[in-house]
Amino acid sequence: MWIALAATALGLTAFTAPADAAPDRLTMDMYALPINAKIPTLAEFQKQGTAHLKGVRVDGGQLNGPSTTLLHSSEAGAPRRQNQLDSGATYPDPPRSITNKECQSNLNNGLFYFKSRFAMCGALQFLQVWGKNGRPVGESSFALMVRGTIPDPKDRTVHFDYNFSNFTATGNTKTSGLIVNTEVTQKLLISNAKKRESGLIPPKKSFNALRVAPNYTHNVIFDAGQGTKPDDLIGMAYVPYVSVKYPPEYVAGTNPGPQRVTFTAMDWDAASYLPNSRAVDPKKRGGASFAYKVTLPYSSKQGAPEKAVADHLNLAHTQPSKTKPPNPHKNVPGFQADHPLHRLYRDKSRYRANRRAAVSVCVKYWGKDYATSDPAGPRECDEFPFASTYEGAAQSSKEPSAPKNNFSALPIPKAQNTAGGTILAVFYDKNRILDGRDSKGQEVDAYLMAIK
């Protein structure tokens, strides 16, 4: 009592008893984790803390400009799925749908997974650790999966399905006040076209409200006639982000800011040499595809109609020193994502030059009668890279900086060569592979090869 009386006498502020200490300090930490990562339990957080999560937080980076228009599966650890060829000389329809289960099982820790040029996805988990006076007292989490599809080859609409799931809340949380905000960056990379949109990007909602209404679809379409010549090309990057806003009484702890759930880029075209180029409604001509370096597999299995082509390509790729023309530094493109093939369509004279250069090698090393000299039957001169690519046999004569003799030519059975050509032509059509270079020589589209 004498302390209180002395304080009063001296005009000092009264002493505050421990029972009247400052209010509890409430905090919330947020982490973004790969979709397949195991989330620690609240008990584990209370025992180990949250420091171990900082190494697996996903970075929400920004776009890197037009170079992002063409994706390949080695980026962000996404695996490549190959289409399987039938027993005949054909190429199957690429898949145009993808399930949540397929996405999760193939995504691994990647930013995206491409099932085809018409079906892709990305996903992320969001973890919140609720604290009181420096100790974890609650945990909540949710996941978001975004699936992009182009279901109809005659429809230019790209669909993005948003699915929130895996809502959990344990211990002391306030998920009713946790606001989840989904935003999408849509950046035109090619053309200044105007898009049309329908459906709904997930609106800003609380954790609890999203749990009740978790599914949304956003559709994007560009009408034909707005793209760059000669293929009426439009390119756009699409990047969904998620961020959270804490309840007002909570202090922000770890908060990585807006997190990129996935990333993709799409192309719309109305190329005259691709399907649906003559639709009655000019705005509906052509189609859409994801800007992804799809892989064409050739089969080397016994009985495959294109086996001789596959064997030739495999030899050129793995043992180039055994191919003609001789070149100790031969490194044929088409088998690595950073060294792809580019379709050649418009320049017919260059195509013919590619064929002439290849045939001249067959004549030089197998004789003028190479087509008829094999008792097993008629042969044709097969070349790789294909005559229908910018990397074909005449590349060095058209591009002085290109390496010389960086191709292989070999006589193979005519029927096998025809089968390989048929598969390639159908592959071009069904995947909407565009002429791979623009007028300035810059990459527009590309693809890869694989031997099965």
Side-chain angles (χ1 to χ4, degrees):
M1 180 179 292
W2 68 270
I3 295 177
L5 291 174
T8 301
L10 295 173
L12 301 176
T13 302
F15 173 76
T16 302
D20 299 324
D24 292 324
R25 185 174 184 270
L26 303 178
T27 59
M28 200 196 79
D29 298 291
M30 204 276 277
Y31 301 89
L33 307 173
I35 190 63
N36 291 312
K38 180 183 180 298
I39 295 180
T41 65
L42 178 59
E44 288 172 330
F45 279 125
Q46 291 172 336
K47 183 178 180 180
Q48 303 174 19
T50 60
H52 61 291
L53 285 177
K54 294 180 181 179
V56 295
R57 194 184 315 151
V58 177
D59 179 30
Q62 301 297 317
L63 292 177
N64 293 316
S67 63
T68 60
T69 58
L70 203 63
L71 306 174
H72 53 79
S73 62
S74 63
E75 292 179 354
R80 180 181 301 121
R81 173 172 293 186
Q82 307 293 350
N83 290 301
Q84 298 300 313
L85 294 175
D86 298 329
S87 58
T90 186
Y91 181 87
D93 291 331
R96 289 180 173 270
S97 64
I98 185 171
T99 65
N100 287 352
K101 184 177 180 180
E102 284 179 309
C103 180
Q104 184 162 348
S105 63
N106 286 281
L107 196 57
N108 297 326
N109 291 334
L111 183 61
F112 46 70
Y113 164 64
F114 284 86
K115 186 178 178 182
S116 74
R117 297 250 287 192
F118 310 103
M120 62 77 60
C121 71
L124 209 57
Q125 294 185 97
F126 298 89
L127 168 66
Q128 303 84 46
V129 181
W130 305 75
K132 181 178 179 180
N133 299 328
R135 176 176 171 76
V137 295
E139 172 188 307
S140 59
S141 65
F142 64 92
L144 172 59
M145 183 171 290
V146 181
R147 292 178 290 114
T149 58
I150 305 168
D152 188 344
K154 294 184 179 181
D155 188 345
R156 296 171 62 93
T157 306
V158 183
H159 304 263
F160 290 97
D161 292 304
Y162 290 76
N163 174 238
F164 289 89
S165 64
N166 300 345
F167 289 89
T168 66
T170 305
N172 297 323
T173 67
K174 192 175 181 181
T175 55
S176 62
L178 178 66
I179 306 302
V180 180
N181 185 31
T182 305
E183 297 180 293
V184 177
T185 297
Q186 301 180 68
K187 183 177 180 180
L188 276 169
L189 303 171
I190 303 173
S191 175
N192 292 312
K194 293 185 178 180
K195 65 180 180 294
R196 293 189 288 116
E197 300 176 70
S198 62
L200 186 66
I201 295 171
K204 186 184 296 185
K205 284 189 174 184
S206 71
F207 177 104
N208 291 2
L210 277 177
R211 181 159 48 184
V212 175
N215 300 314
Y216 302 87
T217 298
H218 179 225
N219 306 311
V220 181
I221 184 172
F222 285 90
D223 292 331
Q226 305 182 81
T228 60
K229 296 180 178 180
D231 292 331
D232 194 12
L233 181 61
I234 301 165
M236 189 183 79
Y238 186 97
V239 192
Y241 292 86
V242 166
S243 60
V244 299
K245 182 179 179 181
Y246 302 160
E249 64 270 33
Y250 281 78
V251 176
T254 298
N255 183 0
Q259 288 293 293
R260 185 169 50 169
V261 180
T262 188
F263 168 83
T264 190
M266 301 89 79
D267 288 334
W268 288 262
D269 76 87
S272 61
Y273 50 89
L274 290 178
N276 199 43
S277 63
R278 297 183 179 181
V280 175
D281 185 344
K283 294 182 179 180
K284 297 182 179 180
R285 290 176 181 169
S289 63
F290 291 111
Y292 161 65
K293 288 179 181 144
V294 68
T295 300
L296 167 61
Y298 274 157
S299 176
S300 61
K301 293 181 179 179
Q302 198 63 37
E306 77 279 17
K307 183 181 187 308
V309 178
D311 290 342
H312 177 205
L313 268 61
N314 191 51
L315 184 68
H317 172 49
T318 62
Q319 301 180 70
S321 63
K322 294 185 177 181
T323 65
K324 303 297 182 184
N327 176 3
H329 305 293
K330 187 179 294 186
N331 180 22
V332 296
F335 291 90
Q336 291 86 33
D338 59 352
H339 199 196
L341 297 174
H342 300 86
R343 182 183 184 183
L344 171 68
Y345 177 82
R346 286 186 294 271
D347 192 341
K348 304 301 183 184
S349 65
R350 181 162 176 167
Y351 174 89
R352 291 190 292 270
N354 284 340
R355 281 299 297 156
R356 286 195 301 270
V359 169
S360 68
V361 170
C362 285
V363 169
K364 180 177 180 179
Y365 292 96
W366 285 274
K368 293 182 179 180
D369 62 344
Y370 74 86
T372 58
S373 61
D374 189 347
R379 297 190 295 182
E380 289 183 341
C381 187
D382 183 41
E383 78 280 344
F384 186 78
F386 308 118
S388 62
T389 66
Y390 280 84
E391 293 75 23
Q395 182 182 23
S396 62
S397 68
K398 303 294 182 179
E399 302 173 32
S401 61
K404 294 182 178 180
N405 295 330
N406 197 40
F407 68 95
S408 175
L410 176 71
I412 66 171
K414 180 178 180 179
Q416 297 260 319
N417 194 45
T418 299
T422 298
I423 292 169
L424 179 62
V426 177
F427 166 81
Y428 282 155
D429 273 358
K430 289 189 174 182
N431 285 286
R432 299 201 70 84
I433 305 295
L434 294 165
D435 189 289
R437 300 285 187 189
D438 63 17
S439 59
K440 298 180 180 179
Q442 298 299 309
E443 184 176 85
V444 171
D445 204 351
Y447 66 96
L448 300 168
M449 299 298 303
I451 307 301
K452 296 296 184 181

